Amino acid sequence: MSTHASDPLAALGSLPGVADSVDSVRKAVDRVYGHRVMRRRSNEITSEAALRGARASAALSGADWALEEVRRRTDFSADAEARTVGGALRLTAECGQLLSIWRQSPLRVLARLHLVAEGEPRDATGRPRQAGEAVDEPLIEAPLPDPAEVSGRLDGLADLIIAGGNAPALVTAAVVHGELLALRPFTSRNGLVARAAERIVLIGSGLDPKAICPAEVGHAELGRAAYLAAFEGYLSGTPEGMAAWIAHCGRAVELGVRESTAVCEALQRGAA
């Protein structure tokens, strides 16, 4: 992040085009929450959104399985792709349990997310990587910050979250997501963790309290190339680049809304 305002997240909300993205997302979320199916069957929509979000996040991390395969499968230990899908599923299930901790101890939550994503403890599980440790992250090829920079920037991110502020939920979620991708603080599963943290912010902020707007679905639908291009904007630290990344994250949420709206309509028709 390259902003030095007293409330840097709120300052990002004033970048050109960001307010429009925030407003568009808010309206889209309000529409799906107002769907008549949500009044009776919101738990089903939440469960389906979690499944589809996990499938999409795994796809961005190289395990692009069909939704029905994810739904059918019970063993997620057979190979690397299965472990990635399993990690994504565990993360979406865990996010709701961590909301109350996030605002007080975000670094503790990130450590827990990495442990959940890995599924079993290893030497490097749940702690920031150390000097000389390699990072297994198939999608992101940007230069790796050294561990000292990672530690400092994680502390800074945590301070911003704990301080709160007036930034829109979309802006905070996009920055958390982008910063974790940029830092890749763990030796593995950083993409899964970054998208889970984005999910936690969107839910915990009150924008999507029932977790029915899976941004991961939108990120996957927009495609890896667009995801990486927008992320390059975040890495640039320029106002234009940051605004483009936030807008990209906003489009992802709106596509998640569209996905859950389709589920609502299918349930209404009795087709799902």
Side-chain angles (χ1 to χ4, degrees), residues 11-253:
L12 291 174
S14 65
L15 291 174
V18 170
D20 290 340
S21 295
V22 168
D23 186 54
S24 181
V25 166
R26 176 78 266 176
K27 288 177 178 176
V29 172
D30 286 347
R31 283 195 298 272
V32 71
Y33 270 82
H35 198 287
R36 64 171 59 186
V37 169
M38 281 296 297
R39 292 195 292 272
R40 306 187 310 275
R41 305 176 72 174
S42 65
N43 288 343
E44 292 173 71
I45 309 302
T46 296
S47 295
E48 190 65 18
L51 183 73
R52 294 179 184 221
R55 189 220 72 81
S57 189
L60 284 169
S61 285
D64 192 359
W65 288 15
L67 180 63
E68 291 311 313
E69 175 66 9
V70 178
R71 200 190 300 280
R72 178 191 68 80
R73 186 75 73 95
T74 56
D75 178 13
F76 294 97
S77 62
D79 54 38
E81 284 198 4
R83 288 190 290 275
T84 296
V85 175
L89 287 166
R90 290 190 299 272
L91 283 172
T92 56
E94 186 78 5
C95 284
Q97 310 302 314
L98 298 172
L99 296 173
S100 63
I101 307 171
W102 174 253
R103 286 294 296 271
Q104 284 74 44
S105 186
L107 298 184
R108 180 179 159 199
V109 169
L110 293 175
R112 175 64 184 168
L113 290 175
H114 187 239
L115 178 63
V116 169
E118 278 288 3
E120 59 184 52
R122 306 177 192 275
D123 288 344
T125 303
R127 63 156 174 79
R129 56 185 167 83
Q130 299 172 357
E133 289 182 330
V135 173
D136 177 15
E137 192 57 52
L139 182 61
I140 307 299
E141 298 179 352
L144 276 171
D146 64 42
E149 182 180 352
V150 169
S151 178
R153 286 171 63 176
L154 280 178
D155 286 344
L157 182 64
D159 288 345
L160 287 174
I161 293 164
I162 292 167
N166 299 314
L170 173 64
V171 172
T172 303
V175 167
V176 167
H177 183 170
E179 191 71 353
L180 292 174
L181 284 185
L183 296 178
R184 280 148 289 159
F186 304 109
T187 57
S188 62
R189 309 294 189 200
N190 290 288
L192 293 182
V193 168
R195 291 183 288 275
E198 178 185 49
R199 182 183 187 86
I200 286 173
V201 174
L202 294 172
I203 298 168
S205 66
L207 177 66
D208 181 23
K210 293 184 183 294
I212 61 166
C213 306
E216 306 97 321
V217 168
H219 287 302
E221 187 170 332
L222 290 165
R224 282 184 163 203
Y227 187 67
L228 291 175
F231 176 58
E232 287 294 326
Y234 181 87
L235 286 177
S236 75
T238 65
E240 297 80 10
M242 296 294 287
W245 170 249
I246 294 166
H248 182 87
C249 291
R251 288 192 295 273
V253 175

